Amino acid sequence: MNKTVNINLANILFHIDEGAFNKMRLYLESIKRSFANTPGSDEILADIEARIAELFHEKLENERQVITQKEVDEVITIMGQPEDYMVDEDIFDDEPKSTRSTEHRRSKKLYRDTEMKYVAGVSSGLAHYVGIDPLWVRLLWIVLTVGSGGGFILLYGLLWILIPEATTTSQKLDMRGEDINISNIERKVKEGFDDVAEKVKNVDYSEVGNKVKNGGKTFFDTLGDIIMFFFKIFGKFIGILLIIIGAATIIGMFVGMLTLGTLDWFHLPGVDGVLNNLTGTPVWLISLLVFFAVGIPFFFLLYLGLKILVNNLKSIGNIAKFSLLGLWLISLISLIVMGVREAASHAFTGSVTTENELFIENQSDTLNIQLATTELWDQRKQMRMNDMVMVYDNDGNPTLLSDDVRFNLKKSQDSTVKITVRKEANGPSYDQARGTAEQIDYSYAVNGNNLVLNDFLTTSDKSTFNDQEVRVNLYLPEGMILKYTPSSSRNWVVRAETDRGDVDLENSIWKMGFDGELKCQECPEKELDETDEDNRFRINADGIDININDEDGESFKMKIDEDGVRIKAKDNEDDVDINIDNNGNKVEIKAKDGDTTVKKTITNA
């Protein structure tokens, strides 16, 4: 049974067994003796202890784990023995750098370098991280800020909040990617003391006195404190908002993936079968890809919010970051490929046309044309995709149902009644599109003088959503009488040329004319009334009233009503006036040619 000792390193509490404690104590005492006469020894020892505490913290899986001699040996190996380094002043000028630091370079960490700052040290910290001169980073900030109209100032403020300041010697070495061991810590501290000594030698004491009188802080320091205060408040609010948005989205996506996708625990109305028929890909795979494509970015938003709120939040590690990034790219690329494949599945249009002659018992009687619908539309829970829905037939089999059916009434070239049915569909090739069109099921029925046409089509769910449609052309011989009865309110799906223009065919009797127009047999006479200040053209039940005048003084008038016919035409000095009574028994003609006038009356004895 080993005795356990509690120690405090850099204000962090550790549990260490007695043997390891004695070895670590002797190690720290030997380091202290090595730096006894070195300027800045207290800061060197504090930084060494902070680095040792950081290494112990990385090696422990939890706070209750006890540090053993194994962990102490590993830390000593990393930090090095005091006797390996010369503490003499000339070591930094004459001695070569340690082999340990040249052979192995640590990965850099992003900090703000306040020693080389102009405002907050963001630019110099970024320059250390990417390995370039800070001047280029500052010039880039200026260009981006001017180009964005000042928008990058907000980004600078956020980086000011998010990037920690390199305060300790260990953090400054981390910022430059240098090994944090005794040699580098000593060198860095002594460099700091050398800089201070140089500044003391060159200081202008009168100028310093004036600065002390005017205030201990520079303008940028004061302004920075004010800006930092507001940015910290704003940053905390942004952090909370990011955590709420990220967590809510991830939870929602995860529940949706389990219930609707992979485990199929829950069914939303209309979703069943839609995704499978839309892409041909299993629902569980689509759900998984969508979860990763959407959830991973929101996970990083959540992580960013936690970093803003928690100052010492431990990093998830580069392996986890790059793994999530790779998984996100794979998911996004897979979804894009599915989308491109779905778009390609509609690139070609294929059709199949059938023509049949209809037997009508008595073509002299009225042909009753009716549209029939289906009870499958009553499945209101299904989602509509354009003109098509996924339904289940009476046997429980999934079926695609569409109302994309249109009808045209045309004149037949002979005395027979014919019908053509053209089925169309899209596909990735013409042959596949034609094959999809052949799977469309459409029917009609003839019973005596009744023709019943379905206003819907069905097809197998294996055909997927490929813009299936049906176009029906009904050819009627000249003189055939017909009556049209729509299904519910779908009267607009039947088209034909009529003598009444673009009107509904329902509730009227029609006759096929020689010119291919349907003539209305029960419609009231058309009324036409076009009137302006100088002209009138009116045709109604009272008769015809025409009055035309032009700018040259020519005019024409004609009026036909129950009193008869009156026609009057005037051309400059010429004038003709004709009157016919309602029985046609008397015709009066009056003509004027210049100064000559002729009158004549004709009576039918």
Side-chain angles (χ1 to χ4, degrees):
M1 180 180 296
N2 294 330
K3 182 179 179 181
T4 302
V5 179
N6 294 331
I7 63 172
N8 187 317
L9 280 177
N11 295 324
I12 301 177
L13 182 64
F14 295 98
H15 306 288
I16 184 171
D17 65 32
E18 188 174 13
F21 168 74
N22 291 330
K23 189 168 187 177
M24 178 56 61
R25 179 176 56 81
L26 294 175
Y27 177 72
L28 292 175
E29 289 177 354
S30 64
I31 293 175
K32 187 175 182 179
R33 288 194 300 270
S34 299
F35 294 103
N37 299 319
T38 303
S41 60
D42 292 338
E43 184 177 350
I44 295 174
L45 293 174
D47 287 333
I48 292 174
E49 287 188 4
R51 177 54 179 164
I52 293 174
E54 180 183 351
L55 294 174
F56 280 150
H57 186 70
E58 292 176 356
K59 295 180 179 297
L60 297 181
E61 297 180 358
N62 55 69
E63 295 180 355
R64 296 185 177 182
Q65 184 176 347
V66 177
I67 298 174
T68 63
Q69 190 166 343
K70 176 184 176 182
E71 284 79 24
V72 173
D73 291 337
E74 292 175 353
V75 169
I76 293 176
T77 301
I78 295 173
M79 298 298 295
Q81 294 290 346
E83 57 268 21
D84 295 336
Y85 308 99
M86 296 176 62
V87 296
D88 164 273
E89 290 292 333
D90 298 332
I91 187 174
F92 302 102
D93 299 325
D94 303 329
E95 293 295 326
K97 294 183 179 180
S98 173
T99 306
R100 182 184 291 108
S101 62
T102 57
E103 292 179 351
H104 174 68
R105 300 291 293 180
R106 291 166 47 85
S107 59
K108 298 179 181 179
K109 293 185 179 180
L110 185 58
Y111 288 98
R112 288 188 291 114
D113 186 3
T114 55
E115 293 181 351
M116 300 177 62
K117 72 175 183 177
Y118 276 97
V119 179
V122 174
S123 297
S124 55
L126 290 173
H128 285 304
Y129 190 76
V130 298
I132 61 176
D133 193 292
L135 176 63
W136 299 111
V137 180
R138 294 187 177 105
L139 290 175
L140 182 62
W141 274 115
I142 295 174
V143 173
L144 294 177
T145 301
V146 174
S148 63
F152 269 79
I153 295 178
L154 178 61
L155 178 60
Y156 188 92
L158 290 176
L159 293 177
W160 191 345
I161 296 173
L162 297 176
I163 301 176
E165 176 186 355
T167 54
T168 67
T169 304
S170 298
Q171 291 173 340
K172 293 174 183 178
L173 291 173
D174 258 342
M175 180 175 63
R176 291 170 169 80
E178 300 179 13
D179 288 332
I180 305 176
N181 51 35
I182 296 176
S183 175
N184 286 334
I185 291 175
E186 180 189 6
R187 177 177 56 82
K188 191 64 183 175
V189 172
K190 288 182 68 63
E191 285 177 354
F193 272 90
D194 292 340
D195 292 340
V196 172
E198 186 67 24
K199 291 178 180 179
V200 171
K201 292 178 182 179
N202 300 326
V203 69
D204 187 344
Y205 292 100
S206 60
E207 183 179 351
V208 172
N210 293 330
K211 288 184 179 180
V212 172
K213 293 179 182 179
N214 294 331
K217 289 188 175 181
T218 66
F219 169 75
F220 282 116
D221 288 333
T222 305
L223 180 63
D225 291 341
I226 297 174
I227 295 175
M228 278 297 296
F229 173 76
F230 288 104
F231 265 113
K232 284 181 179 179
I233 297 176
F234 180 71
K236 298 298 182 182
F237 172 76
I238 294 296
I240 295 173
L241 189 62
L242 292 179
I243 292 174
I244 294 174
I245 294 175
T249 304
I250 293 173
I251 293 173
M253 294 293 298
F254 184 73
V255 172
M257 180 189 66
L258 294 181
T259 56
L260 300 178
T262 55
L263 298 183
D264 199 23
W265 285 346
F266 183 69
H267 298 273
L268 282 181
V271 175
D272 298 345
V274 171
L275 291 177
N276 277 331
N277 282 276
L278 187 63
T279 63
T281 306
V283 177
W284 66 267
L285 181 57
I286 297 177
S287 301
L288 201 61
L289 293 176
V290 171
F291 174 76
F292 288 135
V294 178
I296 290 176
F298 279 94
F299 169 77
F300 281 106
L301 280 182
L302 172 64
Y303 180 70
L304 177 59
L306 291 174
K307 289 282 287 184
I308 294 175
L309 293 180
V310 182
N311 294 329
N312 297 322
L313 183 66
K314 192 173 182 179
S315 174
I316 61 175
N318 291 331
I319 296 177
K321 290 179 182 178
F322 286 110
S323 298
L324 290 175
L325 178 61
L327 187 58
W328 177 75
L329 289 175
I330 292 173
S331 302
L332 186 63
I333 293 173
S334 300
L335 291 174
I336 292 174
V337 170
M338 291 180 187
V340 172
R341 187 178 64 180
E342 175 61 21
S345 66
H346 298 268
F348 294 87
T349 301
S351 64
V352 177
T353 302
T354 59
E355 180 177 346
N356 293 296
E357 182 177 338
L358 301 180
F359 175 73
I360 306 299
E361 289 185 356
N362 190 352
Q363 293 191 10
S364 61
D365 290 344
T366 301
L367 175 64
N368 296 307
I369 301 176
Q370 302 175 3
L371 295 186
T373 187
T374 175
E375 296 179 353
L376 296 177
W377 290 116
D378 295 336
Q379 300 181 23
R380 299 296 183 183
K381 296 181 179 180
Q382 300 305 319
M383 182 182 293
R384 192 179 187 92
M385 300 291 293
N386 294 328
D387 295 306
M388 185 165 285
V389 297
M390 171 70 73
V391 295
Y392 294 89
D393 59 19
N394 296 330
D395 299 327
N397 299 318
T399 303
L400 296 180
L401 174 66
S402 174
D403 59 359
D404 194 358
V405 181
R406 303 292 182 269
F407 306 90
N408 289 293
L409 302 182
K410 299 182 178 181
K411 180 178 176 295
S412 177
Q413 299 299 321
D414 49 30
S415 60
T416 60
V417 180
K418 295 180 181 178
I419 186 171
T420 62
V421 178
R422 188 179 78 252
K423 306 174 182 178
E424 291 186 358
N426 294 335
S429 67
Y430 176 77
D431 291 337
Q432 293 186 29
R434 182 180 174 86
T436 302
E438 290 177 346
Q439 297 181 23
I440 297 175
D441 183 16
Y442 177 80
S443 61
Y444 57 87
V446 180
N447 184 11
N449 275 55
N450 296 319
L451 174 60
V452 181
L453 302 169
N454 288 346
D455 67 352
F456 63 93
L457 66 90
T458 58
T459 186
S460 169
D461 67 318
K462 304 300 181 183
S463 299
T464 70
F465 296 98
N466 278 301
D467 299 326
Q468 290 90 336
E469 64 181 31
V470 169
R471 298 293 179 261
V472 178
N473 294 320
L474 181 61
Y475 296 90
L476 304 177
E478 179 184 348
M480 174 166 276
I481 307 297
L482 64 94
K483 183 178 181 180
Y484 164 64
T485 304
S487 62
S488 63
S489 60
R490 299 199 67 220
N491 56 313
W492 54 272
V493 299
V494 176
R495 299 185 179 93
E497 294 184 5
T498 71
D499 61 346
R500 313 298 293 181
D502 189 12
V503 297
D504 296 335
L505 299 181
E506 62 175 324
N507 303 322
S508 298
I509 303 297
W510 301 87
K511 181 178 180 180
M512 179 59 71
F514 72 95
D515 55 356
E517 282 190 351
L518 293 178
K519 313 296 181 181
C520 185
Q521 305 299 297
E522 301 177 342
C523 301
E525 293 295 331
K526 295 188 294 185
E527 293 189 3
L528 181 61
D529 190 351
E530 297 183 4
T531 305
D532 56 25
E533 295 180 357
D534 300 321
N535 300 291
R536 179 174 64 253
F537 191 91
R538 181 180 296 124
I539 300 176
N540 52 33
D542 296 331
I544 299 176
D545 186 3
I546 301 174
N547 187 358
I548 300 175
N549 298 282
D550 62 13
E551 297 178 354
D552 298 329
E554 298 179 356
S555 64
F556 175 81
K557 298 179 181 179
M558 183 176 70
K559 189 173 184 178
I560 302 175
D561 53 21
E562 59 182 7
D563 296 330
V565 178
R566 183 179 179 181
I567 301 174
K568 186 176 182 179
K570 182 179 180 182
D571 181 9
N572 295 327
E573 297 180 355
D574 299 332
D575 193 358
V576 177
D577 194 352
I578 301 174
N579 292 291
I580 305 173
D581 64 10
N582 58 345
N583 296 321
N585 295 326
K586 183 180 179 180
V587 178
E588 294 181 354
I589 301 175
K590 181 181 178 181
K592 181 181 179 182
D593 184 7
D595 296 332
T596 304
T597 302
V598 177
K599 296 182 180 181
K600 187 174 183 62
T601 300
I602 301 174
T603 302
N604 187 2

